[in-house]
Amino acid sequence: MSPQTLLQSVQCCNQWWLRLFFFTVLLICGQSAGTLLGRLYFNEGGKSKWMAALVQPAGFPILILLLIIFHIFPSSCKAKDSKFFVSLFTLASLYFSFLGLVSGGLTMMYTYGLCYLPVSTYALICSTQLAFNAVFAFYINSQKFTALILNSVVLLTTSAALLVVGVDNTNSKGGSDKQKFLLGFIFTIGGCAIYALVLSVTQHLLQKVLKSVTPVVILEQMILQSFAASAVCAVGLFASGEWKTMATEIHDYRLGKTSYVMTLVWTAVSWQVYTIGSFGLLFEVSSLFTNVIGTVALPIVPVLAVFFFDDKLNGVKVVAMLLVIWGFLSYIYQHYLDDLKSKKAFKKISDENTECPPCV
């Protein structure tokens, strides 16, 4: 390989790590802020579960602005080239009719969990989606497991499981009602399983069916999926009759009318930030890695709850945070080893190969 081609390969891999870091920050910040704002909505007098579910995908117009920017300033270097043109009809049929509608149901399932469960218990149950995704990724995406990846999965799952130790299930709205607690548990764990399946199916569709994973296509998928999910939640809001009580809910919101609106607006923005980070990691790496980063964010929520909801930061949560850091570094180190292996392989490529090789 010529020095120019080798330099291009190294630069491409360095850019990949920067993109990985960027999407990781978006996912962690978006998930943490969205979860805390969702809890704030219910704690301060919010009662409409359909409204709480609707605001999660309803911020998709932000993605339209990003799509316009991509069209005005097209990227000169793409990580993965599109093999054929994907029509809007194909995207709509796949993502509106299936993934979009399923996402609408998922938001409602997670809303019930967040409403009826304490934050720490909710985070614990959400960590199970990593185990679900590991199974789905193995069978659907042919995900290879190394000792470091398995170590990461075990550590991250264990760290989230520790959060439930010493937590009083009556410290949150609905926690003392056993029936609601059980309902929240069922909805949350069911949502985790379905969400893990959706991630694996999405990766499979991108790589095997659509065979097009450019940033523009990713944004189009996110917009259509969020639009469909918003439509499902909007129909549920009106069909359930909860829209009739919105005026009373706004008036009775303990933080005031302005805070009520801002809570919903920033919840919508936060979950779109999470969506961008989630799809970005799915695009750059895999569905399993996306879930690993999502699990990293789970113990952060109880720590932030110490400042926002007067939760106690005990030794168990500190240990959970240390396990999260260990598990995260374990997974990143595996990708670092893969990166080194790829760079060694680049040197053996003939000078005639001028394409930018994959980083993973």
Side-chain angles (χ1 to χ4, degrees), residues 338-357:
D338 294 340
D339 187 33
L340 289 180
K341 185 182 298 183
S342 298
K343 289 181 179 180
K344 291 181 181 180
F346 295 160
K347 297 180 181 180
K348 299 180 181 180
I349 300 177
S350 63
D351 294 340
E352 297 178 355
N353 186 2
T354 58
E355 295 181 357
C356 181

Side-chain angles (χ1 to χ4, degrees), residues 52-346:
L54 175 60
V55 296
Q56 295 181 35
F60 69 89
I62 298 174
L63 305 180
I64 298 178
L65 295 178
L66 291 179
L67 184 62
I68 295 174
I69 293 175
F70 267 105
H71 281 291
I72 297 177
F73 304 102
S75 177
S76 59
C77 178
K78 297 179 181 179
K80 300 177 184 179
D81 294 326
S82 174
K83 294 184 179 181
F84 66 94
F85 176 77
V86 182
S87 67
L88 185 62
F89 175 78
T90 302
L91 287 173
S93 62
L94 286 173
Y95 287 88
F96 185 86
S97 62
F98 173 63
L99 295 180
L101 298 180
V102 171
S103 296
L106 281 175
T107 56
M108 192 59 187
M109 297 176 75
Y110 281 128
T111 299
Y112 267 99
L114 190 59
C115 177
Y116 292 150
L117 298 174
V119 173
S120 296
T121 305
Y122 176 80
L124 164 68
I125 300 174
C126 284
S127 69
T128 60
Q129 75 183 30
L130 181 60
F132 286 121
N133 189 234
V135 176
F136 292 137
F138 179 79
Y139 288 103
I140 298 177
N141 309 123
S142 301
Q143 174 75 46
K144 295 181 179 180
F145 287 94
T146 64
L148 287 172
I149 291 179
L150 289 175
N151 178 65
S152 176
V153 171
V154 172
L155 288 173
L156 291 172
T157 304
T158 302
S159 67
L162 286 175
L163 294 175
V164 80
V165 178
V167 175
D168 184 4
N169 288 336
T170 64
N171 65 356
S172 124
K173 182 180 179 180
S176 59
D177 189 328
K178 294 183 179 180
Q179 184 177 2
K180 289 184 178 180
F181 186 89
L182 179 61
L183 184 64
F185 177 86
I186 294 174
F187 273 112
T188 304
I189 198 169
C192 290
I194 297 175
Y195 179 70
L197 178 61
V198 167
L199 281 179
S200 294
V201 171
T202 300
Q203 181 181 347
H204 179 76
L205 289 175
L206 287 172
Q207 296 176 345
K208 305 299 182 180
V209 180
L210 297 180
K211 300 180 181 179
S212 180
V213 286
T214 63
V216 171
V217 171
I218 292 291
L219 274 176
E220 290 173 347
Q221 295 160 4
M222 292 162 61
I223 292 170
L224 288 170
Q225 184 170 331
S226 297
F227 175 77
S230 300
V232 170
C233 295
V235 171
L237 178 64
F238 285 94
S240 65
E242 289 186 356
W243 66 275
K244 298 178 181 179
T245 62
M246 294 305 300
T248 303
E249 182 176 303
I250 295 175
H251 183 269
D252 296 339
Y253 197 69
R254 285 188 284 272
L255 296 180
K257 298 179 181 179
T258 302
S259 294
Y260 178 87
V261 175
M262 295 306 296
T263 298
L264 296 181
V265 169
W266 285 110
T267 300
V269 172
S270 298
W271 284 116
Q272 289 309 306
V273 170
Y274 165 80
T275 300
I276 295 173
S278 177
F279 273 82
L281 293 178
L282 181 65
F283 166 61
E284 295 291 346
V285 191
S286 66
S287 62
L288 181 61
F289 184 81
T290 303
N291 251 326
V292 168
I293 300 302
T295 306
V296 169
L298 292 177
I300 296 178
V301 174
V303 173
L304 293 176
V306 172
F307 302 98
F308 294 102
F309 301 122
D310 296 327
D311 274 5
K312 295 182 179 179
L313 182 62
N314 53 33
V316 173
K317 293 180 181 179
V318 174
V319 173
M321 286 295 298
L322 294 176
L323 289 178
V324 162
I325 296 174
W326 184 6
F328 177 71
L329 292 178
S330 177
Y331 200 99
I332 290 297
Y333 184 64
Q334 178 62 58
H335 280 277
Y336 171 74
L337 294 179
D338 294 340
D339 187 33
L340 289 180
K341 185 182 298 183
S342 298
K343 289 181 179 180
K344 291 181 181 180
F346 295 160

Side-chain angles (χ1 to χ4, degrees), residues 11-45:
Q11 290 176 344
C12 182
C13 288
N14 291 336
Q15 292 175 2
W16 180 82
W17 280 104
L18 289 176
R19 293 194 301 270
L20 189 68
F21 174 78
F22 175 71
F23 288 128
T24 297
V25 171
L26 290 184
L27 188 149
I28 292 177
C29 292
Q31 178 173 306
S32 300
T35 303
L36 291 173
L37 288 171
R39 166 53 56 194
L40 178 67
Y41 170 78
F42 288 115
N43 280 359
E44 300 301 328

